[in-house]
Amino acid sequence: MQQKWAPSLYIRTIFALFFAVFLVGCGSSGGRPKPAELQPLVSMIGARQVWVSPIGVAGNVSTLTVVENRVAVASSSGTVAVLDTGTGADLWRTAVGSKLTSGVGYDGHLAAVVSERNELLALVNGQTVWRSRLPAAAYTVPLVAGQRVFVLTADRTVAAYDGNSGAKLWSQARTGEPLVLRQPGVLIAVGDTLVTGLGGRLVGLNPSNGSVKWEVSIAVPRGGNDIERMVDVLGPAHRLGNQVCVRAYQVKVACVDAQRGSLTWSTNADGQTGLHGDDAFVFGVENNGKPIAWQRASGQKVWSQDKLLNRDLTAPLALGRSVVVGDAFGFMHLLSREDGSLMARLPTDGSPIVSTPALSGDTLLALTRNGNLYAWRPQ
């Protein structure tokens, strides 16, 4: 694997990933905690599988990007595809010739991915139109917006590239703690502000030149070693209007007013997946597999449930009167948004659900590690 970053950062990154997985996957007795057994369930919500499309082994490249009735998806081996979410038919599909480290950024026209060679590739209708070398690896999905492509790399550099030519427009580097997580961070647009996570801070940037508009501390590094000091802000973030809610790795959940650049609330939370929500609640999943809901306005805990303990749940998706999570055994679980009770269960191919569930119109989408993209529709 060719890397453009310092070897020490690469080694520390891999070590951090291994150690974090070790801590989460191992109990105090040295063995993996036993996953909760699924109990018989009478479905309260009906959903019919309408199509499934093989994409290729997903690995860590598991983000689904939905634009209206299209979904952009990639395999870790280098397949990039855009599908019609109504039928599952390919609108285009191509192999870029390199393994990938990020999911697909997509605005309905231009798609962007990052290869393990630390190259940013831009595609239109399946054709690579330009590529640009990055200063470091990138695990966060590129943001394609306003005829530009924005990238967050593992050395905590944010950069903007011209969507037509690939020319670099600006970059904003930020030194931080030496360890980084090999999983997506936060990079989203909120009005005229580019919002990103840099270490334990949420930062608002001017997308035109990269200047800092505001910064909000989500979590402060503490502890006696680099592992204990890891507080990176993780994706996916949840945005509703000007409010952005995020998780700092295994420490905090917080909501920020992205127009004012001010903290609305924060609360202690032990998790390592992102958030979603609706106008009343913010939903997340704790490391032990407990889905949890907080009041959007105050951060007060509303409910949690323990029927899915140690099943390695995905980040949640708020879907009408339900909350959807996938597990490591190939099941999608629909929970009540009111109290977290189980309402329905949808099977897949038996391999872990690796994407955060996504919604396109009335079609629910999820990707498995074996690389099958599933779609369901309410009955």
Side-chain angles (χ1 to χ4, degrees):
M1 182 184 296
Q2 299 177 2
Q3 297 289 341
K4 294 295 288 182
W5 53 355
S8 61
L9 178 58
Y10 173 68
I11 292 170
R12 285 169 176 262
T13 304
I14 297 302
F15 176 73
L17 173 66
F18 171 81
F19 196 82
V21 171
F22 177 83
L23 288 176
V24 172
C26 295
S28 59
S29 64
R32 184 178 178 84
K34 184 179 179 180
E37 294 185 6
L38 299 181
Q39 302 301 314
L41 177 66
V42 177
S43 293
M44 306 295 292
I45 299 176
R48 176 175 57 92
Q49 182 181 311
V50 290
W51 55 262
V52 59
S53 178
I55 304 298
V57 176
N60 291 324
V61 182
S62 54
T63 302
L64 303 177
T65 301
V66 173
V67 178
E68 297 177 346
N69 63 339
R70 289 159 286 178
V71 59
V73 62
S75 71
S76 59
S77 62
T79 296
V80 182
V82 175
L83 287 73
D84 184 306
T85 57
T87 64
D90 285 0
L91 299 179
W92 58 260
R93 180 182 295 233
T94 190
V96 299
S98 177
K99 292 183 178 180
L100 303 177
T101 60
S102 83
V104 189
Y106 183 58
D107 67 352
H109 171 69
L110 183 70
V113 293
V114 178
S115 77
E116 69 172 9
R117 299 170 183 168
N118 298 350
E119 283 189 318
L120 173 64
L121 291 81
L123 304 96
V124 175
N125 294 325
Q127 301 297 314
T128 300
V129 293
W130 55 261
R131 60 183 68 209
S132 182
R133 179 71 63 175
L134 299 176
Y139 310 113
T140 300
V141 177
L143 173 64
V144 183
Q147 298 185 337
R148 285 164 289 181
V149 180
F150 302 94
V151 179
L152 171 63
T153 51
D155 62 353
R156 296 181 174 88
T157 296
V158 184
Y161 297 81
D162 184 277
N164 295 314
S165 67
K168 182 185 284 189
L169 303 175
W170 56 261
S171 66
Q172 170 73 247
R174 180 67 60 90
T175 59
E177 298 302 317
L179 296 184
V180 293
L181 289 166
R182 189 170 179 170
Q183 66 184 82
V186 172
L187 191 63
I188 62 173
V190 182
D192 60 354
T193 301
L194 178 66
V195 177
T196 186
L198 297 175
R201 304 181 74 82
L202 201 65
V203 181
L205 302 175
N206 183 331
S208 299
N209 56 25
S211 61
V212 176
K213 301 173 71 171
W214 52 260
E215 294 190 23
V216 176
S217 176
I218 304 300
V220 177
R222 292 188 175 91
N225 58 58
D226 289 341
I227 295 293
E228 294 173 346
R229 292 173 60 84
M230 293 177 69
V231 293
D232 280 9
V233 174
L234 304 176
H238 172 56
R239 176 201 171 189
L240 184 65
N242 291 322
Q243 190 179 66
V244 177
C245 299
V246 296
R247 181 189 294 278
Y249 177 71
Q250 298 195 136
V251 181
K252 295 278 187 180
V253 164
C255 287
V256 170
D257 186 319
Q259 184 175 38
R260 298 178 179 179
S262 60
L263 182 68
T264 304
W265 58 262
S266 71
T267 188
N268 294 335
D270 181 17
Q272 57 179 330
T273 59
L275 308 173
H276 202 244
D278 55 27
D279 58 355
F281 303 128
V282 175
F283 304 106
V285 172
E286 300 296 87
N287 277 336
N288 61 4
K290 281 188 177 182
I292 187 169
W294 299 273
Q295 288 282 356
R296 169 176 291 281
S298 65
Q300 181 179 356
K301 181 179 174 181
V302 180
W303 57 257
S304 66
Q305 64 106 308
D306 59 3
K307 303 300 184 183
L308 301 173
L309 290 179
N310 305 314
R311 296 188 66 86
D312 293 341
L313 303 182
T314 67
L317 169 73
L319 178 60
R321 61 191 181 100
S322 65
V323 181
V324 187
V325 293
D327 72 15
F329 305 91
F331 289 99
M332 297 280 283
H333 304 275
L334 280 68
L335 319 177
S336 166
R337 73 181 286 274
E338 301 298 332
D339 60 13
S341 58
L342 295 169
M343 301 180 69
R345 184 183 303 143
L346 307 174
T348 61
D349 58 20
S351 68
I353 307 295
V354 291
S355 70
T356 299
L359 186 66
S360 174
D362 63 351
T363 302
L364 174 64
L365 304 166
L367 180 67
T368 68
R369 180 166 294 168
N370 284 351
N372 292 312
L373 179 60
Y374 284 82
W376 299 268
R377 205 162 290 143
Q379 291 181 308

